[in-house]
Amino acid sequence: MALAFDEFGRPFIILREQDQKTRLRGIDAQKANIAAGKAVARILRSSLGPKGMDKMLQGPDGDVTISNDGATILEQMDVDNQIAKLMVELSRSQDYEIGDGTTGVVVMAGALLEQAERQLDRGIHPIRIAEGYEMASRVAVEHLERIAQKFEFDVDNYEPLVQTCMTTLSSKIVNRCKRSLAEIAVKAVLAVADLERRDVNLDLIKVEGKVGGKLEDTELIYGILVDKDMSHPQMPKQIEDAHIAILTCPFEPPKPKTKHKVDIDTVEKFETLRKQEQQYFDEMVQKCKDVGATLVICQWGFDDEANHLLMHRNLPAVRWVGGVELELIAIATGGRIVPRFQELTPEKLGKAGMVREKSFGTTKERMLYIEHCANSKAVTIFIRGGNKMMIEETKRSIHDALCVARNLIRNNSIVYGGGAAEITCSLAVDAAADKYPGVEQYAIRAFAEALDSVPMALAENSGLQPIETLSAVKSQQIKENIPFYGIDCNDVGTNDMREQNVFETLIGKQQQILLATQVVKMILKIDDVISNSEY
């Protein structure tokens, strides 16, 4: 792009390769951007809430994903438009920061854009709308702080955490087992949580899945699950009070780094070489036996000879275990990863109460359970399900539940779900609009209206009359001045979310409002779009 002047001194812009570019300016650019943002929000709107529908996405190589997790849907969608990409980023940042509420945040941003379009039609300047939105979001976030409730929990009484995780899981495909899955998620988080520092390292929770069985068979293992079996079929399948040597060196004779050639011209020389190799193996196995190891876990493979020797010396072994799993095993058993046989000492061995091999179904698939570890700071959630898609979706659902439990340990304030928090914020923002004398008050009222879109979508997805239901709940909140009334999606017969036990984390809700407002402000400030044309 270059600026030039004609003979009268009037400026004009020259675009490089102008015939290949399209350009939108002013109000047209804003309208086009808003339309793109709304299109993405419309896709996700129908998958909000406990009665939300799932989306089926086919990847480029034919693999199918079924999900109603906003971040997953948008990640898998192939989006070309720049503004639509912003919406994908928005959902992703909510997923990274909070882990839950990824659909709601996009629906919220779409509603704000829709309202902004109406304000633009009235002739209000986009910057004034953006400023009004900013003021309104501050009012909403402060109001959420005021209505939030703290609840106390400890390691023994974790019921409030389970209730909040159940709210998260109720909108997923796994909602028929939400109680058991929520309990598993909470127990896993409490097992690895540092309650004094109020911190949780989710890397210590490994989520494994295996096709087969049913969803109810999902279990929490206080230890590590490795998708491997013993290296020799005749090795013992169960070892109690195991002392584990964790090795990253292979059970093989040493090889020189340079290229080499061994000339063998007599039988004696061959015998000598074979004996030498056998001696290497003998020393390696003996080294492991001497330090008191009763199980060897190795990152690399063994020769058949080594395997045979291990079998004869009664030293069970597992080979080809991945690096991440080795680290988790080391954390759980309190062992050290040993890079060379010479460095093996009894102190570096990990300890586990029980190591057992378990086979599944009629297939020959076996897995290794390492349980009752010295340090139970690493746990595994083992998911079973009818097919691969179900397991993948359950993994995503469990991830959301784990994130919610982590957020509650960090900050134990909750607000009520079912659209209750949005309705009460909408009323608060509406009331605050009168205090602002400028044009911004139109934008603030528009923000209040946009907040209503979440409960409206919930009602719509649940097959209720959206406008009637929303206005009934709103009037109930105003009359009784109680911010706990929301949309009765599951047709329980009460709108009181305290009775229905529908909670959401305060930081999650605040983050939704702030992120959605930021993205909408950014979109409104764009007034010139220069892009390569399609052909």
Side-chain angles (χ1 to χ4, degrees):
M1 199 155 81
L3 190 63
F5 296 91
D6 62 8
E7 63 269 30
F8 302 110
R10 287 180 303 217
F12 60 91
I13 287 175
I14 300 170
L15 291 176
R16 189 184 294 146
E17 297 167 356
Q18 189 162 357
D19 54 335
Q20 292 175 17
K21 292 220 170 34
T22 53
R23 185 173 183 202
L24 283 170
R25 301 186 56 187
I27 196 89
D28 286 340
Q30 278 143 354
K31 285 279 178 71
N33 292 344
I34 287 173
K38 275 163 55 182
V40 174
R42 206 172 297 127
I43 294 169
L44 288 191
R45 195 182 159 95
S46 63
S47 57
L48 188 71
K51 296 276 189 286
M53 305 301 262
D54 290 5
K55 305 277 179 267
M56 187 170 181
L57 300 142
Q58 188 170 7
D61 46 357
D63 55 337
V64 175
T65 309
I66 297 177
S67 179
N68 73 354
D69 176 44
T72 310
I73 295 169
L74 292 181
E75 286 279 315
Q76 303 272 349
M77 261 168 39
D78 197 12
V79 180
D80 278 341
N81 186 293
Q82 286 72 27
I83 300 298
K85 277 182 183 157
L86 278 179
M87 298 297 254
V88 177
E89 291 283 317
L90 162 72
S91 168
R92 192 184 299 152
S93 56
Q94 174 81 8
D95 195 31
Y96 286 164
E97 189 59 35
I98 304 294
D100 185 34
T102 49
T103 314
V105 71
V106 177
V107 171
M108 175 82 201
L112 286 171
L113 286 172
E114 203 169 312
Q115 292 297 331
E117 192 172 17
R118 290 182 193 171
Q119 304 305 317
L120 287 172
D121 289 342
R122 284 179 170 181
I124 299 175
H125 194 279
I127 297 295
R128 304 300 289 273
I129 300 173
E131 281 169 1
Y133 277 0
E134 186 60 37
M135 293 168 186
S137 72
R138 277 205 296 271
V139 171
V141 168
E142 283 163 17
H143 181 66
L144 282 173
E145 283 282 357
R146 280 199 299 278
I147 63 160
Q149 294 193 343
K150 282 203 179 317
F151 63 76
E152 298 309 319
F153 62 87
D154 52 45
V155 180
D156 303 318
N157 174 30
Y158 50 75
E159 186 58 30
L161 288 174
V162 175
Q163 295 287 357
T164 316
C165 286
M166 277 165 66
T167 306
T168 302
L169 292 172
S170 62
S171 66
K172 306 279 187 258
I173 203 167
V174 296
N175 60 2
R176 64 191 173 89
C177 305
K178 63 181 176 185
R179 172 86 213 183
S180 59
L181 289 179
E183 279 182 12
I184 285 172
V186 170
K187 282 177 184 167
V189 167
L190 286 175
V192 302
D194 185 343
L195 291 175
E196 283 169 18
R197 276 181 42 237
R198 293 198 148 209
D199 191 32
V200 180
N201 181 3
L202 288 183
D203 291 341
L204 296 175
I205 302 173
K206 187 174 166 221
V207 183
E208 273 281 336
K210 196 147 200 78
V211 175
K214 52 186 188 295
L215 195 56
E216 284 83 354
D217 296 340
T218 300
E219 57 182 333
L220 174 67
I221 297 153
Y222 288 100
I224 302 295
L225 192 65
V226 187
D227 195 0
K228 295 277 176 272
D229 53 359
M230 297 293 184
S231 61
H232 197 291
Q234 288 174 310
M235 283 177 180
K237 300 281 181 268
Q238 185 165 326
I239 305 158
E240 286 179 17
D241 196 19
H243 290 65
I244 304 171
I246 305 167
L247 304 175
T248 55
C249 43
F251 264 95
E252 285 170 358
K255 294 186 178 75
K257 291 275 186 289
T258 53
K259 278 195 171 180
H260 62 286
K261 216 164 116 185
V262 181
D263 282 332
I264 298 173
D265 46 11
T266 64
V267 177
E268 285 76 24
K269 279 186 183 172
F270 182 75
E271 280 293 323
T272 322
L273 186 70
R274 208 182 68 83
K275 277 201 179 116
Q276 186 65 41
E277 270 196 4
Q278 202 163 0
Q279 194 183 334
Y280 274 131
F281 285 137
D282 257 348
E283 280 173 13
M284 288 173 183
V285 176
Q286 198 52 48
K287 195 89 174 166
C288 297
K289 292 289 277 187
D290 289 347
V291 293
T294 55
L295 173 68
V296 176
I297 292 181
C298 184
Q299 191 173 5
W300 304 103
F302 317 147
D303 271 18
D304 287 343
E305 197 165 343
N307 206 357
H308 173 76
L309 261 172
L310 285 166
M311 165 65 208
H312 273 276
R313 296 283 174 89
N314 288 332
L315 187 57
V318 185
R319 54 182 162 184
W320 300 121
V321 177
V324 179
E325 283 158 342
L326 271 187
E327 281 174 25
L328 282 172
I329 291 170
I331 291 168
T333 58
R336 300 283 288 276
I337 295 175
V338 181
R340 276 193 290 275
F341 282 101
Q342 289 76 19
E343 293 177 19
L344 253 179
T345 57
E347 300 82 64
K348 291 183 180 174
L349 297 180
K351 292 178 182 59
M354 165 87 76
V355 177
R356 60 195 171 95
E357 190 180 283
K358 190 174 175 186
S359 54
F360 294 100
T362 53
T363 55
K364 295 280 185 292
E365 290 187 8
R366 299 186 184 87
M367 287 179 111
L368 209 63
Y369 285 63
I370 301 173
E371 296 172 304
H372 310 306
C373 301
N375 167 21
S376 65
K377 274 277 186 224
V379 296
T380 306
I381 296 173
F382 183 45
I383 296 168
R384 305 302 308 276
N387 55 28
K388 191 160 172 275
M389 284 178 275
M390 185 74 187
I391 284 176
E392 290 304 315
E393 179 62 1
T394 310
K395 277 186 185 174
R396 285 189 285 270
S397 310
I398 287 271
H399 172 260
D400 282 11
L402 291 173
C403 289
V404 166
R406 180 196 63 185
N407 294 338
L408 282 173
I409 286 174
R410 282 187 182 167
N411 176 355
N412 62 350
S413 301
I414 52 161
V415 291
Y416 286 87
E422 280 88 355
I423 295 171
T424 175
C425 279
S426 162
L427 294 169
V429 170
D430 217 5
D434 300 333
K435 296 177 190 162
Y436 295 94
V439 180
E440 283 87 357
Q441 63 166 286
Y442 287 107
I444 295 173
R445 287 212 174 86
F447 191 94
E449 242 174 89
L451 279 167
D452 286 343
S453 71
V454 172
M456 194 97 108
L458 282 173
E460 213 171 291
N461 293 345
S462 306
L464 306 167
Q465 294 287 331
I467 297 169
E468 268 178 42
T469 315
L470 179 62
S471 40
V473 173
K474 224 172 184 178
S475 67
Q476 203 174 356
Q477 276 208 21
I478 296 169
K479 262 188 222 150
E480 302 182 26
N481 197 15
I482 296 177
F484 310 137
Y485 292 118
I487 306 289
D488 178 19
C489 295
N490 290 328
D491 215 11
V492 178
T494 169
N495 284 336
D496 193 336
M497 292 294 136
R498 286 173 301 182
E499 284 179 37
Q500 287 203 27
N501 286 329
V502 178
F503 311 122
E504 288 186 59
T505 51
L506 169 69
I507 43 177
K509 262 290 167 260
Q510 287 178 329
Q511 190 79 8
Q512 267 188 1
I513 291 173
L514 291 171
L515 282 175
T517 313
Q518 277 171 13
V519 167
V520 171
K521 270 177 65 181
M522 197 158 134
I523 292 172
L524 286 176
K525 283 186 172 179
I526 299 168
D527 78 327
D528 203 339
V529 180
I530 299 166
S531 56
N532 291 331
S533 61
E534 293 302 313
Y535 55 84

